[in-house]
Amino acid sequence: MSKPIYMDYAATTFVKPAVLEEMIPYFTEYFGNPSSIYSLSRETKKAIDKARDRVAKGINADSNEIFFTGGGSEADNWALKGVAFANYNKGNHIITTQIEHHAILHACEYLEKHGFQVTYLPVDEYGLVSLDELEKAITDNTILVSIMFANNEIGTIQSISEIGKLCKSKKVLFHTDAVQALGNVPIDVKEMNIDLLSMAAHKIYGPKGTGALYIRKGVKIDNLVHGGAQERARRAGTENVAGIVGFGKAVELAVSNMEEHTNHLKTLRDKLINGLLKIPYSRLNGPSGTNRLAGNSNICFRFIEGEAILLLLDSMGICASSGSACTSGSLDPSHVLLAIGLPHEIAHGSLRLSLGDNTTEEEVDYVIESVGKVVQRLRDMSPLWDDFLKEGEK
Ligand SMILES: *Cc1c(COP(=O)(O)O)cnc(C)c1O
């Protein structure tokens, strides 16, 4: 099989050669346990410190506010459960949104079983949270607001600075899942008044299974893993040294090339979206223009199933997704598309194509053409389409 056309960068990315190159010596030459005393280990300890500095710099945090984790889901879970249980004496109310990643939503459901109350804020048709509604939802009992920086399905970028300012004025902790935003949107945790922020390496050309939680100095949070003194005793266990090194390099590259990277992606994204919207009875999900992630497109095609589109595209060598990688395989439509007001039958026919570093204009052209053919072929077999042609809108 020839090399597939990869348009699922929001699910994961390849590891950049420059990232891999920095990682390799930490599997082989410098394998010492960072906690040991001899000089072999000093190299690994130094490497972790350097990576911590790089990650901190990428979001304008202090190095001692960065805690490495096993990825984005772990950082999300830690932020929610850690803050909830450590601040239970202050209140038991948490505010989040209906369009969060499952790492947030399922952690909230778990907390609800343990005596916490969770408000799931609605969003408008573009996926934006209303500041007014957020302000109204905050009570004396609220301890934490968790609102994602940018959405993984429809690319909506929230007004994080305003949300941060509001939370600060209400003296409520503010966590944001910035897994999709990192490397795509400038992040400054100080200026944006962010107390906790989740990151993952594998969405920015780093290795899978590595991420971090930024915890602002002074935030009360329970330790995640009890054991040794790693991560200042907050997350015990011998560090994933090579992964951490790769993450540090990935953040450095992502942040230094951000403008060039996102301008390139926006041009390709807009070409893709415009091409796909020429297909009859299609619509764009999520915002158009500036508050959309540079590499994200999400389109609905009426009268067909998203899963069927994906299978046919796969047979043509195109890797795409119908929403979040975690929900495909289930028959429920995406919770994000339902939250922006799409009816079930339309939400089922959605296609997410997310672009990245290796995407070319030729690939975009090929994908537009292929999706057009696939949609036509599926509609030709669809009784819904047949009824629609005979009887029009019911
Ligand atoms: C991918 C993703 C996660 C999960 O990160 P993992 O490293 O895969 O655990 C969390 N939130 C968002 C928005 C994501 O896109």
Side-chain angles (χ1 to χ4, degrees):
M1 201 176 102
S2 62
K3 220 174 153 196
I5 292 179
Y6 189 74
M7 290 219 176
D8 203 14
Y9 285 84
T12 195
T13 64
F14 61 89
V15 173
K16 274 187 184 165
V19 170
L20 181 62
E21 204 178 302
E22 287 210 13
M23 291 172 67
I24 287 173
Y26 296 93
F27 290 110
T28 52
E29 199 177 340
Y30 302 122
F31 62 87
N33 189 318
S35 303
S36 302
I37 204 83
Y38 33 79
S39 34
L40 177 68
S41 292
R42 234 169 283 147
E43 287 303 322
T44 48
K45 183 160 185 324
K46 258 183 12 206
I48 292 175
D49 289 345
K50 182 171 167 189
R52 203 183 304 283
D53 291 344
R54 281 171 162 176
V55 174
K57 197 165 166 227
I59 60 169
N60 193 28
D62 297 338
S63 293
N64 61 9
E65 295 173 316
I66 301 297
F67 296 86
F68 290 115
T69 66
S73 299
E74 186 180 313
D76 282 344
N77 271 261
W78 186 10
L80 285 163
K81 296 176 202 168
V83 166
F85 289 116
N87 293 277
Y88 194 63
N89 59 331
K90 284 196 204 137
N92 71 341
H93 182 225
I94 294 164
I95 299 172
T96 187
T97 78
Q98 291 176 358
I99 61 162
E100 299 296 312
H101 190 272
H102 282 130
I104 296 287
L105 292 177
H106 291 168
C108 284
E109 284 166 24
Y110 168 81
L111 287 169
E112 284 185 286
K113 283 196 218 143
H114 289 269
F116 292 90
Q117 285 183 338
V118 183
T119 300
Y120 300 89
L121 292 175
V123 293
D124 71 9
E125 60 179 311
Y126 301 110
L128 282 167
V129 169
S130 142
L131 279 173
D132 271 357
E133 283 184 54
L134 171 60
E135 183 163 7
K136 279 189 213 135
I138 297 175
T139 70
D140 291 344
N141 231 351
T142 309
I143 50 177
L144 177 68
V145 169
S146 179
I147 295 179
M148 73 197 316
F149 208 124
N151 183 269
N152 47 307
E153 291 189 36
I154 56 172
T156 311
I157 301 167
Q158 303 291 340
S159 312
I160 290 298
S161 292
E162 272 89 84
I163 296 170
K165 206 190 288 173
L166 176 63
C167 290
K168 190 180 182 196
S169 76
K170 299 277 183 185
K171 298 192 170 59
V172 173
L173 292 174
F174 174 40
H175 166 255
T176 187
D177 174 342
V179 171
Q180 293 286 336
L182 188 64
N184 284 302
V185 189
I187 301 177
D188 184 326
V189 291
K190 293 196 169 76
E191 205 180 314
M192 294 171 166
N193 292 304
I194 297 166
D195 297 304
L196 303 114
L197 179 141
S198 303
M199 298 170 262
H202 75 106
K203 305 284 175 80
I204 57 163
Y205 311 93
K208 292 167 184 57
T210 313
L213 181 64
Y214 148 78
I215 306 173
R216 189 179 53 73
K217 213 171 157 183
V219 167
K220 256 182 87 184
I221 184 166
D222 277 1
N223 294 341
L224 180 66
V225 181
H226 304 95
Q230 293 92 352
E231 300 304 293
R232 308 215 337 271
R234 287 187 159 175
R235 192 224 186 228
T238 303
E239 298 88 340
N240 173 6
V241 181
I244 288 170
V245 166
F247 181 31
K249 182 66 180 172
V251 170
E252 186 188 69
L253 291 174
V255 172
S256 62
N257 292 333
M258 182 150 34
E259 205 170 295
E260 201 184 325
H261 173 72
T262 52
N263 284 341
H264 166 68
L265 291 186
K266 275 179 200 163
T267 311
L268 293 175
R269 174 200 70 189
D270 291 342
K271 183 181 166 86
L272 178 65
I273 289 176
N274 292 334
L276 293 176
L277 288 178
K278 294 211 176 83
I279 298 171
Y281 304 102
S282 57
R283 60 157 277 170
L284 177 67
N285 301 315
S288 51
T290 51
N291 58 351
R292 182 178 198 110
L293 280 176
N296 173 284
S297 75
N298 190 311
I299 311 260
C300 274
F301 302 100
R302 292 190 56 195
F303 314 109
I304 48 178
E305 288 278 340
E307 299 284 309
I309 308 178
L310 296 185
L311 291 174
L312 286 179
L313 287 179
D314 180 41
S315 74
M316 299 164 103
I318 298 168
C319 308
S321 153
S322 63
S324 83
C326 322
T327 46
S328 61
S330 83
L331 286 174
D332 290 337
S334 141
H335 64 287
V336 176
L337 297 181
L338 295 180
I340 61 171
L342 296 193
H344 273 250
E345 67 275 15
I346 296 182
H348 266 301
S350 75
L351 174 68
R352 180 186 74 182
L353 295 161
S354 46
L355 315 182
D357 258 28
N358 281 357
T359 308
T360 63
E361 209 171 333
E362 291 71 46
E363 287 182 338
V364 168
D365 287 331
Y366 177 73
V367 167
I368 293 171
E369 192 191 313
S370 307
V371 172
K373 282 186 199 153
V374 163
V375 167
Q376 189 54 51
R377 192 165 142 204
L378 289 171
R379 281 181 178 161
D380 286 344
M381 304 187 303
S382 158
L384 296 171
W385 178 243
D386 204 39
D387 289 349
F388 174 73
L389 290 181
K390 283 191 204 125
E391 299 162 32
E393 206 78 56
K394 275 191 215 136

